[in-house]
């Protein structure tokens, strides 16, 4: 027997205390007699000390038994009970890669894996433990519990779905070892279709039972789809189709432009080969969809969608009296939509993604992106007046990324202001120690400052000027969304700095809301193939909505043929019965139950014993 909390045995000191209390409460027996005259004639005797003897009663025995049980329970004893066996701890790794959605024999491979996992859960007894782990593109813990949590674990198994390309088995095994490595009798069960590369198991520290649930099946898939806009509005489309099977495939592909059917073409793909296709389509187009009638058990990868251009339109408001060179540079950026406003009539536009102030500055920092060129004296950017610029230009480390390969040397900058820059503005370029270009972020404002005058500035005649304008605009505004993402691949999404929340609407119409902090990107984890809608909200104002195609087809997932077979690694074969060794079982709960039963019996005895005995 093992005692986990030896200090709990101090509670057994209550036993002698109970005995002492019973001695003090002992009374002489009362007897009714007719007269005391006879006792008066007895000569007095010296007082003799009588030894009080403890009377053993059922009530005393119940008191002592209850105290003994409670004291032992507090010590948390464990005792080996061979008939109960040891606690079995099992980690169930479920492959959730795309190929697990392949249907064969009436069920998908994932459905068979869920049924097998449910069988392990229903076989739990006593204090057995089960850890559910998803071995998808990124390993994750699903749930864990004992036999008392079987209903919750079974419900968690039913919620498991295909998560995308790849199976992070190594990460899943690491999670299993984290929970089970120090537990005797622990094991790992990996339920997979075997259509993923077998991981390195040389460092495995737990017995592993691999159950391969798939068989060789043919599959046709769209593994690559790309599109880009060309000259004169043309759209160039490239696709790669794969046929994984021992028979040639003949079928049709359907090409849709902005959900309108553009063409249907027959294809012929040799066994275990790929076919590349290319089209030049008349534009303009926003989205291309390619569908293949694969006629196989995995229709999930028979279609793909891609955006032609991920560039997001940028609404630019130019607040200036006259800046022709800047206007030309802005109009040369394809995604810019330019609006010019007179400084005297300027009113902040909530729809503006970027506001540019030339020879003026606003009264307050506006939410969104701002570029201030040649700021005059003002409250936001106070300065000590203009001073002649130096001849030495220095690019700071913070400005290397923005100003790399832009030749700003040999330019006469004229007179520049000695700006009293706030702490959140960082100089990117200096002219003899005076900030020339600055960049910073203030609350929900992205701010850039050009501390020089564009009027008659030789910079505007150089190639460096449109490059500087384009880089600054793209640096101040969020980057474009990808043309498409692969199912299961997390997407780091950089929203507008004004956005307070992100609404992600999946292809089924389910909406997920993500709270945003200024300039901190959000992570979107697509769980379905199709087109997602991503909405950026600033309070009640919708700033932008972006369509995000998610495709299940991938080169590594197109072949569903198992690459290995079921096996037992580091453990006895599955058909060999495993004898459970006796391990200590916790007994404190049983002792507490016994103490409660004794206390109830004691209460019933006190209520029913004769009145004379109570005296």
């Amino acid at each position: 027997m093992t005692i986990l909390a030896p200090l709990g045995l101090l509670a057994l000191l209550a036993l002698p205390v109970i005995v002492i209390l019973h001695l003090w409460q002992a009374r002489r027996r009362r007897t009714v007699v007719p007269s005391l005259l006879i006792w008066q004639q007895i000569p007095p005797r010296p007082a003799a000390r009588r030894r009080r003897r403890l009377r053993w009663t059922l009530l005393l025995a119940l008191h002592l038994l209850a105290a003994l049980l409670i004291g032992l329970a507090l010590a948390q004893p464990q005792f080996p009970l061979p008939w109960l066996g040891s606690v079995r701890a099992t980690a169930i790794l479920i492959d959730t890669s795309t190929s697990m959605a392949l249907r064969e024999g009436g069920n998908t491979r994932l459905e068979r894996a869920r049924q097998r996992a449910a069988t392990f859960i229903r076989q739990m007894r006593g204090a057995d433990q089960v850890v559910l782990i998803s071995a998808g593109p990124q390993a994750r813990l699903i749930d864990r519990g004992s036999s008392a949590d079987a209903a919750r674990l079974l419900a968690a198994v039913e919620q498991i779905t295909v998560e995308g390309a790849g199976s992070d088995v190594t990460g899943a095994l690491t999670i299993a070892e984290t929970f089970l490595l120090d537990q005797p009798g622990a094991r790992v069960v990996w339920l997979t279709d075997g259509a993923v590369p077998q991981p390195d198991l040389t460092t495995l520290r737990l017995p592993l039972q691999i159950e391969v649930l798939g068989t060789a099946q043919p599959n046709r898939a769209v593994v690559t789809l790309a599109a880009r806009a060309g000259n004169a509005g043309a759209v160039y489309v490239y696709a790669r189709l794969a046929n994984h099977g021992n028979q040639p495939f003949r079928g049709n592909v359907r090409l849709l432009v902005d959900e309108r059917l553009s063409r249907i073409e027959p294809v012929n793909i040799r066994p275990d080969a790929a076919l590349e296709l290319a089209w030049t389509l008349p534009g303009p187009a926003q989205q291309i969809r390619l569908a293949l009638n694969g006629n196989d058990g995995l229709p999930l990868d028979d279609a793909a969608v891609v955006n032609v251009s991920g560039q997001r339109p940028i609404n630019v408001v130019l607040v200036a009296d006259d800046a022709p060179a800047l206007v030309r540079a802005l109009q040369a950026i394809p995604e810019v939509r330019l609006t010019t406003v007179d400084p005297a009539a300027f009113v902040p536009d909530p729809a503006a993604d970027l506001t540019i102030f030339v020879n003026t500055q606003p009264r307050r920092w506006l939410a969104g992106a701002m570029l201030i060129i040649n700021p005059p004296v003002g409250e936001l950017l106070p300065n000590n007046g203009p001073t002649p610029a130096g001849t030495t230009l220095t690019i700071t480390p913070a400005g290397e990324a923005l100003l790399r390969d832009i030749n700003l040397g040999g330019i006469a900058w004229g007179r520049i202001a000695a700006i009293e820059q706030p702490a959140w503005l960082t100089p990117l370029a200096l002219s003899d120690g005076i900030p020339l270009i600055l960049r910073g972020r203030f609350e929900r404002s992205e701010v850039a400052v050009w501390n020089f005058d564009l009027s008659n500035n030789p910079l505007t005649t150089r190639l460096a000027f449109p490059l500087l304008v384009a880089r600054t605009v793209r640096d101040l505004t969020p980057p474009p969304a990808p043309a498409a993402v692969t199912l299961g691949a997390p997407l780091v999404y950089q929203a507008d700095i004004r956005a307070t929340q992100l609404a992600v609407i999946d292809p089924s119409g389910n909406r997920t809301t993500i709270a945003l902090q200024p300039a901190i990107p959000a992570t979107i984890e697509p769980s379905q193939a199709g087109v997602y809608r991503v909405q950026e909200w600033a309070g009640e104002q919708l700033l932008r909505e972006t369509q995000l195609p998610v495709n299940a087809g991938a080169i590594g997932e197109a072949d569903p043929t198992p690459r290995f077979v079921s096996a037992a690694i580091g453990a006895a074969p599955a058909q060999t019965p495993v004898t459970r060794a006796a391990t200590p079982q916790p007994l404190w709960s049983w002792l507490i139950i016994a103490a409660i039963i004794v206390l109830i019996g004691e209460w019933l005895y006190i209520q029913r014993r004769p009145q004379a005995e109570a005296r």
Side-chain angles (χ1 to χ4, degrees), residues 295-371:
N295 192 25
D296 52 38
L298 187 59
L300 194 62
D301 58 7
D302 291 350
V305 183
V306 65
N307 290 331
V308 176
S309 175
Q311 295 290 345
R312 49 202 297 169
I314 303 174
N315 298 317
V316 178
V317 175
L318 176 60
V319 184
D321 289 323
D322 185 28
L326 181 60
V327 169
R328 290 193 300 269
L330 290 171
Q331 290 175 341
I333 304 175
E335 61 269 25
V336 166
R337 300 172 181 175
L338 181 62
T339 302
T340 303
V341 178
D342 186 86
F346 170 72
V347 176
D349 185 0
D353 300 309
L354 171 61
T355 306
I356 302 177
F357 297 90
V358 180
N359 301 327
T360 183
Q361 61 175 294
R363 297 180 179 178
R364 58 181 176 84
W365 299 113
L366 305 180
M370 300 174 57
L371 171 58

Side-chain angles (χ1 to χ4, degrees), residues 305 482-487 489-491 526 548-552:
V305 183
V485 297
T486 304
L487 178 63
L491 171 64
L548 181 65
V550 177
N551 300 321

Side-chain angles (χ1 to χ4, degrees), residues 474-489:
R474 293 191 172 104
D475 178 60
L476 290 170
T477 54
V485 297
T486 304
L487 178 63

Side-chain angles (χ1 to χ4, degrees), residues 471-515:
R471 286 194 184 180
T472 302
V473 169
R474 293 191 172 104
D475 178 60
L476 290 170
T477 54
V485 297
T486 304
L487 178 63
L491 171 64
V492 178
Y493 187 91
Q494 181 65 64
D496 192 296
I497 193 171
R498 297 169 294 173
T500 56
Q501 63 181 7
L502 205 66
V504 181
I505 304 171
D506 65 23
S508 301
N510 300 318
R511 181 188 181 100
T512 302
T513 302
I514 304 174

Side-chain angles (χ1 to χ4, degrees), residues 377-396:
V377 177
E379 295 182 1
L380 291 184
L381 293 172
N383 61 73
N384 299 323
T387 183
T391 58
T392 302
L393 180 69
T394 303
I395 306 298
T396 66

